[in-house]
Amino acid sequence: AMSTKPQTKSFKGCTLFRHRIVAATLSGKAIRISDIRSNTEAPGLRDFEASFLRLVDKITNGCQIEINDTGTKMRYKPGMIIGGSELEHDCGKTRGIGWFLEGLLMLAPFGKQPLSIRLKGLTNDDSALCVDYFRTISLPLLKHFGISEGVELRVVKRGARPEGGGEVVFRCPIVKALKPINLTEIAQVRRVRGGAYAGKG
């Protein structure tokens, strides 16, 4: 008889960490990651990677996360994407909010409920896409996939290193399926716009 036990896919290293967690969540397949920076002076998961796992846990139901003492090995069994409203997450001060938004954007449309979440941390930082790029470039692309109504990223306040303190609210509706797209034509540049912000040192 064939085994019905779900297979666990194995990976090594920290490369594409978010993408592996996202792909596992969307496919419903458990994964195991080993040798996470095991040969470095500071081995194991970084705080922003652990924070991303906590974020995924907040928008799903039933996921299981096991991490060894050194943080160099982990197993992730995904749960069901639920979504939810009035959620909050502190992204910390080592990765910009955009780094977390990229992962959320791949998961949120497939939840049981629309997602509304307040993210706190660095809105503008070299470690990730700034929230302005995400709002003006990434989100408008969703309409090609059939996601337009109810998508919003609102910058409540800015936050930069070293203290952070920024806040954004991200809202995303759910869809049954994405529309296929065919973007092959290169459009002409019609306008160039810029933005500026300042903070107290």
Side-chain angles (χ1 to χ4, degrees):
M2 293 183 64
S3 173
T4 57
K5 183 179 179 181
Q7 293 183 339
T8 300
K9 197 165 184 63
S10 297
F11 299 96
K12 288 188 176 182
C14 59
T15 305
L16 298 176
F17 179 81
R18 282 176 307 168
H19 298 82
R20 288 169 176 172
I21 297 299
V22 167
T25 306
L26 292 174
S27 66
K29 302 290 180 64
I31 62 171
R32 181 179 287 108
I33 306 177
S34 60
D35 295 334
I36 302 173
R37 301 185 183 89
S38 53
N39 296 321
T40 65
E41 292 183 2
L45 289 171
R46 296 291 183 258
D47 58 350
F48 57 88
E49 291 163 335
S51 180
F52 184 72
L53 289 173
R54 291 193 296 272
L55 175 60
V56 172
D57 183 49
K58 287 179 180 178
I59 67 167
T60 60
N61 182 29
C63 82
Q64 298 176 15
I65 303 168
E66 302 169 9
I67 305 172
N68 71 347
D69 292 340
T70 59
T72 56
K73 295 180 181 179
M74 66 160 289
R75 183 178 182 274
Y76 172 69
K77 182 181 178 183
M80 182 180 294
I81 305 172
I82 299 298
S85 59
E86 298 184 13
L87 301 177
E88 286 194 8
H89 184 73
D90 189 337
C91 299
K93 302 174 185 176
T94 53
R95 275 293 184 279
I97 290 174
W99 189 84
F100 295 84
L101 282 170
E102 286 179 298
L104 272 183
L105 188 60
M106 292 184 273
L107 296 173
F110 305 103
K112 293 292 183 183
Q113 305 168 15
L115 177 66
S116 176
I117 186 168
R118 182 180 297 266
L119 301 174
K120 300 179 180 181
L122 303 170
T123 57
N124 300 75
D125 189 69
D126 293 340
S127 66
L129 289 179
C130 73
V131 294
D132 304 285
Y133 183 99
F134 190 87
R135 179 174 55 83
T136 58
I137 304 296
S138 301
L139 291 190
L141 287 174
L142 290 182
K143 66 181 180 182
H144 296 290
F145 293 96
I147 306 174
S148 55
E149 294 295 325
V151 180
E152 179 191 11
L153 180 70
R154 180 166 57 90
V155 180
V156 179
K157 57 182 178 178
R158 304 262 175 195
R161 291 181 188 265
E163 296 302 320
E167 284 187 24
V168 304
V169 174
F170 175 55
R171 294 187 176 91
C172 184
I174 56 174
V175 294
K176 291 183 178 180
L178 298 178
K179 290 182 180 179
I181 65 170
N182 184 18
L183 295 177
T184 56
E185 295 183 9
I186 301 176
Q188 290 186 340
V189 177
R190 296 184 178 182
R191 286 184 299 176
V192 176
R193 291 181 293 179
Y197 68 95
K200 294 187 291 184

